[in-house]
Structures are given as C-alpha cells and as structure tokens.
Amino acid sequence: MCSCDHYAWILWVSFEISLELQTFIQCLHSSLNETPNLVFVLCTDFLEHFYEKYGSFIPLCESDVLEQLSQKFGPDLTHRQVVSPPLSSFRLLTASFLVCMYRVTYNKHTLTLEDLSTLDDQNWVNDQVINMYGELIMDAVNQKVHFFNSFFHRQLVAKGYEGVKRWTKKVDLFSKSLLLIPIHLEIHWSLITVDICNQQINFYDSQGITFKHVVDNILRYILAEAKEKKCAVYQKGWKMIINKSIPQQKNDSDCGVFVLEYCKCLAMKEPLQFTQEDMPKVRKRIYKELCECQLKERNPHGAN
C-alpha cells in the first residue's frame, strides 16, 4: 500500500521543474519529430505516475522513459543518447523532493521513503530493506526457502539457542531446501546459506573476508535445532564451505546489495552472474521490486 501527496506533485511540476522538463521534452522532440505538446503530455503523465508509484525518482532509468515513448512512437528510437543527459539532470533536480508520507507495506513489513533511500547511489542498505526483500524471496519460491531476519544472528550471539528458539516455533526448517541467513557485523554484510538436502553450510562474502566463527555459530544453531525438533539425521554430517569464486564488490558501500543479489540468485537457482558494474541497476531494480511487492524475472543477459 503506497500513498503520496498528489497536489504537491502538481505544484512542484508547475513551479520547480518546468524549465528542466521542457529541456527534456525539447531533446526528445528533436529525436522523435513529434509535436512538443504531445511529448510533454506523455512525459508528464508518465513521470507523475512513476512518482506516485515509487515515491521518488531514485529508481528512474533511461530505459523507463524509452519504454514508455516506444509504446507510442515505436521501438526504433534512433537517438537514444538525447535521453540520458537531460534525464540525469532531471533526476538530480528532483532528488530533494521526497514524499514524506510514502509507505510500502507487505505482510508485517513497512518501508518508509527513508528506508528505500538507502538503495540510492552508494548508501548503506538498512535492515528494513534487507528483511522485506527476504520476505519477497520466500514468497517467490513458495516458501521452499526460509529467510532469517537480519537480527537473528545478533540475538543468537547475545542469548544463545534459547534466545532464538521461538523464532522457528511455527517453521520446520528441515522441510526447506535452503536457509538464507544475512549476517551484519558492525558495518559489513555477509551471507550464510544452509543447504538442507546436502547438509552444507555455505559462507558468501563480497569482500572475500572469512568469518569462521560466524559459520561455527550457525552450525551450533542447526545442531541444536535438529535436537530440539528431534531430527536425528541432521544432528551430524554437516560440511562447511567458504565460497571464494563469487562476485566481489569494489567499493565499501555495496555489501548489502551483493547479499540481496546472492539471496535472490541462490533462492531462484540462478547463477551468480553479476558484477560491481551492475550495482546501480540492481539497486534500482530492488527499489522497484520492494514498491511492487514482487520480484522481477532475471535478465537472461545478466543482472537487471
């Protein structure tokens, strides 16, 4: 469920972005050879709808505009380069105008625009984004995968198995195919997965760091859970694997986004085929998926 101030949008378009929007339209007009009024109306309607749907222009891409225009003027837009410069300028101009009342709710999760804005540029993704995205992943695979809340490991470390035992009171972990456990240590995100069928605990880190004590924590938890649920077959025989040949980040801000992309690919049984260069698009895609409360299909040519 989303909401925004429609009248604020109208006033803002009228008084704050008219010059920038007109420049944008003129560039498109020169490329499309259509009347300025028609292009203006099409773009204004699209941008208004986009703003209402997503609460900001953070996830706005050149391809979004081109797709809308191609529906009217055909797919053969030979001057795609005219879209990018004015669109970049337009996005910068609108970045400060945010819909303070915008909300996205899904099951027990609620995201504000402040939460969603952690997906902008090189911001650090917060727990609220991590946890709601995990919920979308579980629903996308019909609950065959279980995603642990990002606070799980902290609680496990602080209070031991007894402190988290109730977290799976209504969940049979050993009926799942895969467990996804995001790990947040101070300022860095990593991921642990538990392959139930093959009894493997896998560690994924986008900076190539190994936190063996974290893997040990999860192993002890799994053994305790198996004992509690009287699953003798899972009380021994576990293997621990540190995955090294995986996509790596090249900055200090995208670890959370890498973890979400690991989670999605592993849950959907897709190869980890993305790079640091894909992160701007991945951030925008995740933002849209959260607002739409549904995962998008993966681009067969790589990260969306």
Side-chain angles (χ1 to χ4, degrees):
M1 180 178 66
C2 309
S3 62
C4 70
D5 190 337
H6 179 75
Y7 296 104
W9 159 264
I10 295 175
L11 290 173
W12 180 60
V13 168
S14 300
F15 298 107
E16 298 291 337
I17 67 166
S18 57
L19 291 178
E20 191 65 37
L21 186 56
Q22 287 173 19
T23 300
F24 182 52
I25 300 306
Q26 288 171 2
C27 291
L28 292 173
H29 166 54
S30 65
S31 174
L32 299 171
N33 195 28
E34 295 289 340
T35 61
N37 286 342
L38 175 58
V39 179
F40 183 89
V41 170
L42 288 172
C43 286
T44 302
D45 287 347
F46 166 67
L47 292 172
E48 178 180 353
H49 174 72
F50 190 98
Y51 182 80
E52 290 180 347
K53 185 175 183 179
Y54 299 114
S56 76
F57 290 109
I58 291 172
L60 183 63
C61 301
E62 172 186 329
S63 58
D64 295 322
V65 180
L66 287 170
E67 180 180 353
Q68 291 298 314
L69 293 174
S70 66
Q71 291 178 9
K72 176 64 179 178
F73 303 113
D76 187 23
L77 298 179
T78 57
H79 296 85
R80 296 171 64 96
Q81 66 271 21
V82 304
V83 176
S84 185
L87 186 58
S88 297
S89 180
F90 181 75
R91 188 183 295 108
L92 287 173
L93 182 66
T94 60
S96 61
F97 190 87
L98 304 177
V99 188
C100 60
M101 297 302 293
Y102 186 87
R103 296 286 188 278
V104 177
T105 59
Y106 185 73
N107 294 344
K108 297 181 180 180
H109 301 275
T110 298
L111 296 181
T112 66
L113 196 56
E114 183 178 2
D115 297 320
L116 289 165
S117 295
T118 65
L119 285 162
D120 189 24
D121 197 24
Q122 295 189 33
N123 292 335
W124 293 353
V125 177
N126 71 7
D127 290 276
Q128 287 72 25
V129 166
I130 294 282
N131 291 327
M132 181 168 159
Y133 199 73
E135 191 85 13
L136 295 181
I137 289 174
M138 287 193 291
D139 287 348
V141 295
N142 297 318
Q143 301 296 320
K144 294 178 182 178
V145 169
H146 184 73
F147 185 95
F148 281 80
N149 186 284
S150 63
F151 297 102
F152 169 79
H153 182 255
R154 297 175 221 179
Q155 184 78 349
L156 176 65
V157 172
K159 297 188 176 181
Y161 177 74
E162 290 299 319
V164 297
K165 182 171 65 174
R166 62 182 179 81
W167 290 40
T168 55
K169 183 178 180 180
K170 298 181 180 180
V171 179
D172 180 5
L173 293 182
F174 302 107
S175 69
K176 308 295 183 180
S177 60
L178 184 69
L179 311 181
L180 300 170
I181 309 173
I183 305 295
H184 193 215
L185 297 176
E186 297 182 359
I187 59 172
H188 184 62
W189 289 99
S190 299
L191 174 69
I192 287 182
T193 69
V194 181
D195 181 337
I196 299 296
C197 296
N198 295 313
Q199 290 190 245
Q200 292 182 354
I201 298 176
N202 296 273
F203 183 79
Y204 298 83
D205 187 90
S206 57
Q207 290 186 334
I209 305 171
T210 300
F211 298 107
K212 188 177 183 302
H213 69 283
V214 176
V215 182
D216 291 337
N217 291 341
I218 299 303
L219 174 59
R220 285 192 292 270
Y221 167 77
I222 292 296
L223 294 176
E225 180 77 355
K227 182 178 180 180
E228 176 71 18
K229 298 294 178 66
K230 297 179 172 57
C231 296
V233 67
Y234 295 113
Q235 293 180 34
K236 59 182 179 179
W238 289 92
K239 299 179 290 292
M240 294 184 285
I241 299 174
I242 307 298
N243 291 273
K244 293 292 187 180
S245 299
I246 58 175
Q248 297 285 285
Q249 68 185 99
K250 297 179 181 178
N251 60 21
D252 295 324
S253 55
D254 281 326
C255 55
V257 184
F258 270 80
V259 163
L260 292 182
E261 197 69 350
Y262 292 153
C263 287
K264 180 179 181 180
C265 292
L266 293 169
M268 307 292 283
K269 297 183 179 180
E270 297 172 347
L272 301 179
Q273 293 180 344
F274 57 91
T275 67
Q276 176 66 58
E277 287 66 34
D278 294 314
M279 287 301 104
K281 290 183 179 180
V282 171
R283 282 175 174 268
K284 293 178 186 297
R285 192 206 71 222
I286 291 174
Y287 187 117
K288 292 177 181 178
E289 289 174 322
L290 289 168
C291 292
E292 296 168 9
C293 299
Q294 184 176 7
L295 299 187
K296 295 180 180 291
E297 291 186 7
R298 185 177 175 84
N299 186 327
H301 301 294
N304 291 341

